[in-house]
Amino acid sequence: MKPQKTPATAEKLIEIAESLFAEKGFYGTSIRDLADSIAIAKSSLLHHFHTKENLYGAVLKKLADEMTEEVKAVQKQFPNEKKQIFEFVQLLCNNSEKKPNRENIILRELLDNPKRAEKAKKWFFIDYFKGLTDIIKSGQSNGVFKPVSPEIFILQLLGAHRYLIISLPTVKQFFDEKIYRQVLKDHHAELETFVRERLIKK
Amino acid sequence: MKPQKTPATAEKLIEIAESLFAEKGFYGTSIRDLADSIAIAKSSLLHHFHTKENLYGAVLKKLADEMTEEVKAVQKQFPNEKKQIFEFVQLLCNNSEKKPNRENIILRELLDNPKRAEKAKKWFFIDYFKGLTDIIKSGQSNGVFKPVSPEIFILQLLGAHRYLIISLPTVKQFFDEKIYRQVLKDHHAELETFVRERLIKK
DNA sequence: TTGACCGCCTACCGATCGGTCGGTAGAGTA
DNA sequence: TACTCTACCGACCGATCGGTAGGCGGTCAA
């Protein structure tokens, strides 16, 4: 998991690992699959990342760092918490289209983490989570947000979004074709209404 | 997967499989683990359920049947859709405390289903999902619910709940001890407010 | 020129995977 | 008694798992 000097192979590995772990999970993905996918030997993979767990950790770290950075960027770009939170909803919806693996990996990690946590003793997404609850807390102390529990609100917001996203491949068969194209747009609008009604003070 | 005459062993298997699959996922659980857990030989497990997939399918089917039945019971017990939907929220929250494995397995199944779907070509939770959207549609045609998309609303509601539940083991370290005891109660209240504001016509 | 290091390889390891096989004990039935 | 069926078992299978050992060619500093 140490930074490598020649980035090409290690970065390619993280990239392919992100998509395979997202699709099939940690135990469903073998390091043979991963190595074959970018046409290197399995032992070359292990040369870069000493163990399978390390590679998985590198994937999580990269993901968590990106996401934390995005939240910070939103905080920096907009001065008031109202704009920040709506911008974040926008970000969520955009990223689910551009980077569909993310939600899968995050969900899988939440499911597996309690077991893994005994060894790892850390949660990669802590800064991301704290960044988000901080926006809520800040908005509350400035009097623009209602006094909801920041943690519960964020978890429900993330959940409403991520669950829908990972359900879509399965449930899309139940939408009419022309309705389905509207779903992501309507979902986005619903999330915004949720934020407006449950969080924003009138 | 055929029904067995001597229920004891097969049912014990489904029971232990439900908790192990929930905890470690399909690929993370071996049939040796499962057999050992109830002290029978691995070949005896395969005598009852011809393959590991069959056993997993039996677990899903039992779960889906129970949940579909619960929704139907709510529909039957209460005449109007407003009471039905609040009763369902109550049901969700109660079951997450009584049957904590459920949410895990459902989430894992949603994540793995797109891959599995090629073979299985069926989704065990379809009746459950349809039952819920039917409540919304019925309430809408009776004029007591707002014209939201039934599918999106249900997915967001389920998501807000299930995501929070599976996150709790990981994020509970960020709650104060005395606050944490309130979380499930506050979460329940928030879900009800969400339903009241986004669904119920005033 | 040498030697340390690097990225990558083939060959191999023991452990474990899902699943098969032949067989046994016991209950039911004719 | 003889036959059948069910639940269960230990022994075994080929395949695959994560990981190790050692070697090869190239780069670069001493």
Side-chain angles (χ1 to χ4, degrees):
Chain A
M1 219 165 66
K2 303 154 198 161
Q4 298 302 125
K5 282 145 197 169
T6 56
T9 302
E11 277 180 14
K12 268 200 284 183
L13 271 173
I14 292 183
E15 207 170 306
I16 192 68
E18 184 180 310
S19 83
L20 286 192
F21 283 142
E23 189 191 337
K24 309 198 279 181
F26 182 79
Y27 295 109
T29 306
S30 72
I31 54 178
R32 279 176 178 81
D33 288 346
L34 291 165
D36 288 353
S37 297
I38 62 162
I40 63 167
K42 181 168 57 80
S43 50
S44 303
L45 182 156
L46 291 163
H47 167 73
H48 290 281
F49 303 91
H50 210 65
T51 65
K52 187 186 181 185
E53 294 259 0
N54 282 152
L55 173 53
Y56 183 69
V59 170
L60 284 186
K61 183 168 179 348
K62 184 193 154 209
L63 216 57
D65 286 350
E66 280 175 12
M67 290 166 60
T68 307
E69 209 46 55
E70 287 169 5
V71 171
K72 276 188 189 153
V74 165
Q75 279 179 291
K76 215 166 161 184
Q77 191 182 353
F78 298 94
N80 81 75
E81 295 86 357
K82 231 164 97 178
K83 278 193 181 151
Q84 286 172 8
I85 196 73
F86 282 111
E87 190 64 20
F88 172 70
V89 171
Q90 170 91 284
L91 191 65
L92 263 188
C93 292
N94 282 353
N95 278 341
S96 294
E97 295 192 72
K98 282 190 297 182
K99 311 182 181 181
N101 291 330
R102 277 192 180 183
E103 323 299 345
N104 279 47
I105 291 208
I106 292 165
L107 262 294
R108 291 190 189 275
E109 171 60 11
L110 277 173
L111 288 164
D112 292 337
N113 183 272
K115 182 166 44 104
R116 197 188 318 279
E118 298 161 18
K119 296 187 205 169
K121 290 188 195 295
K122 80 175 275 183
W123 185 46
F124 286 101
F125 296 94
I126 175 172
D127 289 333
Y128 173 73
F129 183 65
K130 293 225 164 181
L132 292 174
T133 52
D134 281 348
I135 292 179
I136 309 294
K137 286 171 186 169
S138 165
Q140 286 172 336
S141 68
N142 287 344
V144 295
F145 288 168
K146 293 180 181 171
V148 297
S149 156
E151 291 82 7
I152 293 179
F153 180 83
I154 289 297
L155 289 178
Q156 289 184 345
L157 178 64
L158 291 177
H161 175 69
R162 295 197 167 129
Y163 188 84
L164 184 133
I165 294 298
I166 67 155
S167 299
L168 274 188
T170 300
V171 303
K172 72 176 167 194
Q173 51 183 305
F174 307 122
F175 293 108
D176 295 334
E177 176 61 27
K178 64 176 184 191
I179 293 179
Y180 177 63
R181 291 194 199 121
Q182 269 295 113
V183 168
L184 286 177
K185 247 163 107 177
D186 291 350
H187 163 64
H188 185 170
E190 278 293 324
L191 281 190
E192 285 186 347
T193 310
F194 170 67
V195 170
R196 204 173 300 119
E197 293 194 345
R198 289 302 308 130
L199 187 66
I200 311 293
K201 260 192 184 164
K202 280 144 194 172
Chain B
M1 219 165 64
K2 302 153 198 161
Q4 299 301 126
K5 281 146 200 171
T6 53
T9 302
E11 277 179 15
K12 267 199 283 182
L13 271 172
I14 292 182
E15 207 170 305
I16 191 69
E18 184 179 311
S19 83
L20 286 193
F21 282 142
E23 191 191 336
K24 308 198 280 179
F26 182 79
Y27 295 108
T29 307
S30 73
I31 55 179
R32 278 177 179 82
D33 287 346
L34 291 164
D36 288 352
S37 296
I38 63 163
I40 64 167
K42 181 168 58 80
S43 48
S44 303
L45 182 155
L46 290 163
H47 166 74
H48 290 282
F49 304 90
H50 209 65
T51 65
K52 187 187 180 185
E53 295 259 0
N54 282 152
L55 173 54
Y56 183 69
V59 171
L60 284 186
K61 184 169 179 346
K62 184 194 154 210
L63 217 57
D65 286 350
E66 280 174 11
M67 290 166 59
T68 307
E69 210 45 55
E70 286 169 6
V71 171
K72 276 188 188 154
V74 165
Q75 279 178 291
K76 213 167 163 182
Q77 191 181 353
F78 298 94
N80 80 75
E81 295 86 357
K82 229 163 99 179
K83 278 193 182 151
Q84 286 173 7
I85 196 73
F86 283 111
E87 190 64 20
F88 172 69
V89 170
Q90 171 92 284
L91 192 65
L92 263 189
C93 291
N94 283 353
N95 278 341
S96 295
E97 294 191 73
K98 282 190 296 185
K99 312 183 180 181
N101 292 329
R102 277 191 179 184
E103 323 299 343
N104 279 46
I105 291 208
I106 293 165
L107 263 293
R108 289 190 190 275
E109 171 61 10
L110 277 173
L111 288 165
D112 292 338
N113 183 274
K115 181 167 45 104
R116 195 188 320 278
E118 299 161 16
K119 296 187 204 168
K121 290 188 195 296
K122 80 175 277 186
W123 185 45
F124 286 101
F125 297 94
I126 175 169
D127 289 333
Y128 173 74
F129 183 65
K130 293 224 166 183
L132 291 174
T133 53
D134 282 348
I135 293 180
I136 308 294
K137 287 170 186 169
S138 165
Q140 286 172 336
S141 68
N142 287 343
V144 294
F145 288 168
K146 293 179 182 174
V148 297
S149 156
E151 290 82 7
I152 293 179
F153 181 82
I154 289 299
L155 289 178
Q156 290 184 346
L157 178 64
L158 291 176
H161 175 67
R162 295 197 168 132
Y163 188 84
L164 184 134
I165 295 298
I166 66 155
S167 299
L168 273 188
T170 300
V171 303
K172 73 176 168 196
Q173 51 183 304
F174 307 122
F175 293 108
D176 294 334
E177 176 61 27
K178 63 176 185 195
I179 293 180
Y180 177 63
R181 292 195 199 120
Q182 269 294 113
V183 168
L184 286 177
K185 247 164 106 177
D186 291 349
H187 163 65
H188 186 169
E190 278 292 325
L191 280 189
E192 286 186 345
T193 309
F194 169 68
V195 170
R196 203 172 302 119
E197 295 193 343
R198 289 304 306 131
L199 187 67
I200 311 295
K201 259 192 185 163
K202 280 148 195 172

